[in-house]
Amino acid sequence: MVLSMTGYGRGRQQTQLFSVTVEIKSVNHRFCEYQMRMPKQLVKIEDQLKKIIGRYIQRGRVDVFVTISGEGLVKRQLRVDWDLLDEYHRFLSRLRDKYGIESGFGIRELLNHEDLVTIEEIEEDNEEIIALVMEACREAAGQLRLMREKEGAQLQRDLENHLQSLSKLLETIKAHAATLVHTYMLKLEKRMQEITNGQLDEARIVQEAALFAEKSDIHEEITRLESHLLQFRETLALHEPIGRKLDFMIQEMNREVNTIGSKANASAISTAVVELKSVLEKMREQVQNIE
């Protein structure tokens, strides 16, 4: 089964008090890499969320967004700087005792003084919220998987079409390769007739043709390329991550095609080689997004 590494999933769970949303998006990546964005009180379950997602996907860059709304998520409390307050008190007492100045500093001023009194928000652990996050994560990961399967199915259809194009081009090369030596001998005979005024050296022609046949023999490359095409088709049917394996096969096919292009001294084969490279490049781009 072909799975794309691109996808998106969203899960939402709620109660009368809380609402939890988990969004997961993924793109292609050489390995499996996570970026988690969530409230601080959920950092402790980050590894658990990764394990949940890991049951659905095995490769790609994964961004996870967790948002929580509702009442009672944050506990507020006053923080008083008692040391600074003592300093104020000593200062005001000294003003009164030394100069007879009565201060108008009261509770209202105390509460409005940011250096003395602040309100802190503390995110509290809540097992109910954690359970909601876990379930929303499973839902989002399931949707992500479904999208990756749908895109993967489209990638597989495109790759199979490309494989058919490669097979047709390879048949064209095989047909021209079968007559390559004979065509070369005819050209060589004609050239020698022009040079020697019709006097042919049959032994020399046979020798030159043999050398040409040895240099231009692409039988092994064609056989290996056909084997790679077969392995590629078989790999597409595997139920496991196959992206790296397919990428390696395309590299090997490119290598064989380059060798064919350098050996075969025929315009028809050269044209087919250019088309082969074009198709393989399209396949390489698509394989980059397969898990």
Side-chain angles (χ1 to χ4, degrees):
M1 175 184 293
V2 175
L3 291 177
S4 169
M5 282 191 284
T6 302
Y8 172 82
R10 183 176 185 271
R12 189 168 185 270
Q13 296 290 318
Q14 62 182 4
T15 64
Q16 292 182 344
L17 297 177
F18 310 113
S19 177
V20 173
T21 302
V22 176
E23 294 176 282
I24 308 175
K25 67 176 184 178
S26 66
V27 294
N28 61 317
H29 194 273
R30 186 176 180 183
F31 304 106
C32 191
E33 181 181 286
Y34 290 91
Q35 292 290 332
M36 314 287 285
R37 296 173 178 84
M38 62 182 71
K40 291 181 179 179
Q41 74 263 37
L42 298 178
V43 172
K44 67 178 184 179
I45 65 168
E46 182 175 316
D47 288 339
Q48 293 175 262
L49 296 180
K50 290 180 180 179
K51 288 180 180 178
I52 291 175
I53 300 170
R55 298 190 189 105
Y56 295 86
I57 64 174
Q58 299 183 45
R59 188 169 166 235
R61 175 189 166 89
V62 184
D63 290 297
V64 182
F65 305 88
V66 181
T67 55
I68 305 174
S69 60
E71 298 181 0
L73 297 173
V74 177
K75 179 181 179 182
R76 296 184 175 183
Q77 66 180 23
L78 290 176
R79 187 183 71 82
V80 181
D81 190 335
W82 295 104
D83 292 335
L84 184 57
L85 187 59
D86 288 341
E87 286 293 326
Y88 269 104
H89 182 265
R90 284 192 292 270
F91 173 72
L92 294 174
S93 297
R94 187 176 181 183
L95 284 177
R96 185 183 62 248
D97 295 341
K98 187 173 184 178
Y99 301 104
I101 299 176
E102 292 292 337
S103 170
F105 192 85
I107 294 178
R108 184 182 299 277
E109 289 76 15
L110 173 66
L111 294 176
N112 290 331
H113 205 297
E114 294 181 357
D115 291 337
L116 295 176
V117 180
T118 57
I119 298 177
E120 288 185 338
E121 293 186 347
I122 302 175
E123 296 177 338
E124 294 188 319
D125 292 339
N126 187 306
E127 294 301 323
E128 183 180 8
I129 291 178
I130 290 176
L132 292 176
V133 170
M134 296 287 195
E135 187 58 34
C137 184
R138 293 187 188 93
E139 182 181 350
Q143 290 185 9
L144 175 69
R145 169 80 180 200
L146 287 175
M147 180 175 288
R148 286 163 67 113
E149 288 178 355
K150 290 180 181 179
E151 291 197 12
Q154 181 61 51
L155 285 172
Q156 182 170 352
R157 285 192 291 269
D158 289 343
L159 288 171
E160 288 173 346
N161 290 334
H162 289 321
L163 288 174
Q164 291 180 2
S165 298
L166 291 177
S167 296
K168 291 179 181 178
L169 289 168
L170 194 55
E171 288 299 321
T172 299
I173 291 175
K174 289 169 65 176
H176 286 286
T179 62
L180 195 60
V181 176
H182 180 67
T183 302
Y184 176 77
M185 288 184 65
L186 294 178
K187 290 182 179 180
L188 186 60
E189 287 180 358
K190 182 178 180 181
R191 187 179 304 174
M192 291 188 68
Q193 284 178 345
E194 293 174 353
I195 295 174
T196 62
N197 295 322
Q199 295 180 4
L200 297 179
D201 186 345
E202 296 292 343
R204 180 65 182 276
I205 293 176
V206 172
Q207 182 182 10
E208 291 292 335
L211 290 173
F212 176 80
E214 183 178 354
K215 291 181 179 179
S216 62
D217 183 19
I218 56 176
H219 176 74
E220 291 184 5
E221 287 76 12
I222 291 175
T223 300
R224 285 195 292 266
L225 190 51
E226 288 177 328
S227 176
H228 292 326
L229 292 177
L230 178 59
Q231 291 178 27
F232 199 98
R233 288 191 178 91
E234 292 175 346
T235 302
L236 288 176
L238 297 178
H239 292 271
E240 62 185 45
I242 58 175
R244 293 182 187 176
K245 186 180 296 185
L246 294 179
D247 186 54
F248 174 76
M249 290 182 186
I250 288 180
Q251 292 180 33
E252 293 301 305
M253 284 191 279
N254 261 313
R255 185 177 303 171
E256 302 300 340
V257 170
N258 287 331
T259 304
I260 290 173
S262 63
K263 280 187 174 184
N265 186 16
S267 60
I269 293 180
S270 297
T271 300
V273 165
V274 172
E275 294 183 19
L276 281 171
K277 289 183 177 181
S278 177
V279 176
L280 286 173
E281 179 59 26
K282 294 176 182 178
M283 294 175 66
R284 187 192 67 80
E285 292 176 358
Q286 290 176 317
V287 164
Q288 298 300 313
N289 199 39
I290 293 178
E291 184 179 83

